[in-house]
Amino acid sequence: MTKKNYTDEFRQRAVDLYESTPGATLKGIAADLGISRGALKEWVDKLGSGTTTGRPGAVPSAGRPQSQAARIARLEAENAALRAEQAKLAEERDILRQAAKYFGRGDELVNRFQFVEDHKSAWGVKRLCEVVEISRSSFYAWLAAAPARAARARRDAALAEQIRAVQDPARGGDRAYGAPRVTAELNDGAAEGQRVNRKRVARVMREHGLAGIRLRRRVTTTLPEQSGRKFPDLLERDFTAPAPNRRYVGDITYLPIADGTNLYLATVIDVCSRKLAGWAIADHMRTELVEDAMRAAWRERGSLRGTVFHSDHGSVYTSKAYAALCEQLGVTQSMGAIGSSADNALAESFNATLKREILAGYATFGDQSTAYRAVFRWANRYNTRRRHSAIGNISPNTYETAVSPRLAEAA
């Protein structure tokens, strides 16, 4: 199912991706987007700005060539920078090796503070806080509060001993007592200033392993949606289909930006071929976002009549506007149970894969433009080149072209 007609936006995005990617080649970008090199070159010649982002340290292709002395100076500077970076990484490795012994104990944040306190003479507070990712102000605030924490720990230990007495059958107690009854027992006859709060009792019991004996019971955590339309689960965790353009799943995920804001990505994924048939990005999670993703899938497929679209119970998917669009396009809505991510596991897995691969270990994108370009490239490459284990380790487009027609005939 090769895409032949491209929108002006797609052409401009392709040119922008080529011009903004360090070391990019026409052949590589064209392959990622599933287009010919000639087509991309034509778009670049027609729509491009005429400038590209070169590789770091590359010698400009135009202008006067560098002198031998300048070239040596540049290489020496690069060498010095690399040596400094290598030393910095070696130091970080040594710090993190020591820190690993702390991170397996209880409260991770407190353990980071304690690690900095124990090793500040070796590496310094500033460097340690930078490596273990805590702020110095938070560390110093924690350090200043140490006497208060010690006093609180002593009071908690004394209260824990009182709770043990209340729960000890040998001393007339009851092992089955939980926080409410223990609190009542402790407060029974106590003077006004000696009464204890139930929340504090519960916390101390939890921290000292003093929970009362109780029978476990099943707790329903999924509550019915109180507003919006409700639709039955037509997939029931069966993420298969006899041919493409029969069943789709979708979801919304956030894309974190360095300035603290988020972009939001809505998807429409073909269950049979795993093809990302439609997607949309916005700085909001209003209904228009999922509508744009569905319309993108409709444009890609030509028609969605008779298909099923499965999602969670998010308000945008239960809205009247979205239901009206689905009815207009001939799409039947399906929804999993509230609070059950497994009912939409395919879409959840897609979101996790996307973030893992385009963030490549970083916590955020540099800015919104960078995030959009990264998703634009990855989404097209996902369809044209990325091998998918669920369909025999071939790309979704290859699967739809070579394999799925035979499945449709067999069905």
Side-chain angles (χ1 to χ4, degrees), residues 16 64 73 78 87 103 114 127-128 134 145 166 177 179 184 192 212 236 264 267 278 283 293 299 325 361 385:
D16 174 65
R64 269 190 328 188
E78 290 178 359
F103 291 168
Q114 189 63 57
R127 183 63 175 140
L128 289 170
I134 58 175
V166 170
Y177 274 12
E192 185 64 30
E236 296 182 338
Y264 299 92
T267 55
D283 59 358
R299 289 192 298 269
L325 175 63
R385 298 180 64 186

Side-chain angles (χ1 to χ4, degrees), residues 14-271:
V15 172
D16 174 65
L17 178 63
Y18 168 71
E19 292 186 339
S20 64
T21 302
T25 63
L26 289 169
K27 182 179 179 181
I29 296 296
D32 280 352
L33 301 183
I35 59 179
S36 69
R37 180 186 180 281
L40 180 58
K41 185 177 187 306
E42 179 182 344
W43 299 347
V44 170
D45 292 341
K46 182 178 179 181
L47 304 173
S49 63
T51 60
T52 57
T53 302
R55 295 182 181 276
V59 178
S61 58
R64 269 190 328 188
Q66 287 182 312
S67 67
Q68 184 72 6
R71 183 171 179 273
I72 291 173
R74 176 175 59 79
L75 292 175
E76 287 178 346
E78 290 178 359
N79 241 340
L82 288 173
R83 286 194 298 270
E85 183 65 20
Q86 185 178 25
K88 182 179 179 181
L89 291 174
E91 184 182 64
E92 287 185 5
R93 178 197 61 202
D94 294 340
I95 292 173
L96 290 174
R97 280 178 178 172
Q98 294 293 326
K101 303 172 185 177
Y102 285 71
F103 291 168
R105 316 173 191 165
D107 189 317
E108 183 180 339
L109 182 59
V110 170
N111 291 334
R112 294 186 188 205
F113 292 146
Q114 189 63 57
F115 171 74
V116 173
E117 170 64 12
D118 293 346
H119 295 82
K120 63 185 180 183
S121 59
W123 285 294
V125 171
K126 180 179 179 181
R127 183 63 175 140
L128 289 170
C129 288
E130 180 184 64
V131 174
V132 300
E133 299 180 343
I134 58 175
S135 69
R136 278 184 289 168
S137 61
S138 297
F139 166 72
Y140 286 122
W142 174 84
L143 201 60
R149 285 197 304 275
R152 175 182 169 181
R154 289 192 295 270
R155 292 194 298 270
D156 286 350
L159 178 59
E161 187 57 37
Q162 290 179 284
I163 295 171
R164 290 189 184 95
V166 170
Q167 292 182 327
D168 187 359
R171 289 186 275 183
D174 192 328
R175 184 70 183 84
Y177 274 12
R181 288 188 173 88
V182 168
T183 304
E185 188 74 18
L186 292 172
N187 289 335
D188 187 18
E192 185 64 30
Q194 297 176 337
R195 297 177 65 84
V196 292
N197 181 277
R198 183 180 65 83
K199 291 183 178 180
R200 183 185 172 212
V201 170
R203 175 180 58 79
V204 171
M205 291 179 67
R206 183 171 61 252
E207 292 173 353
H208 288 78
L210 299 174
I213 299 173
R214 62 189 183 277
L215 295 176
R216 295 189 177 274
R217 60 178 180 175
R218 298 177 67 90
V219 178
T220 302
T221 58
T222 301
L223 301 177
E225 182 71 19
Q226 299 301 317
S227 62
R229 301 190 59 179
K230 303 174 185 177
F231 299 92
D233 186 347
L234 303 179
L235 266 60
E236 296 182 338
R237 303 187 184 181
D238 177 14
F239 300 111
T240 61
N245 204 25
R246 303 284 183 85
R247 287 178 161 189
Y248 292 92
V249 298
D251 195 11
I252 297 177
T253 190
Y254 73 95
L255 306 172
I257 309 301
D259 62 6
T261 62
N262 293 314
L263 289 178
Y264 299 92
L265 170 70
T267 55
V268 180
I269 306 164
D270 193 300
V271 168

Side-chain angles (χ1 to χ4, degrees), residues 327-338:
E327 291 174 3
Q328 177 188 339
L329 299 179
V331 176
T332 301
Q333 285 188 259
S334 167
M335 291 182 177
I338 295 175

Side-chain angles (χ1 to χ4, degrees), residues 222 233 237 310-313 335-341 343:
T222 301
D233 186 347
R237 303 187 184 181
H310 183 82
S311 67
D312 58 23
H313 278 260
M335 291 182 177
I338 295 175
S340 175
S341 60
D343 286 353

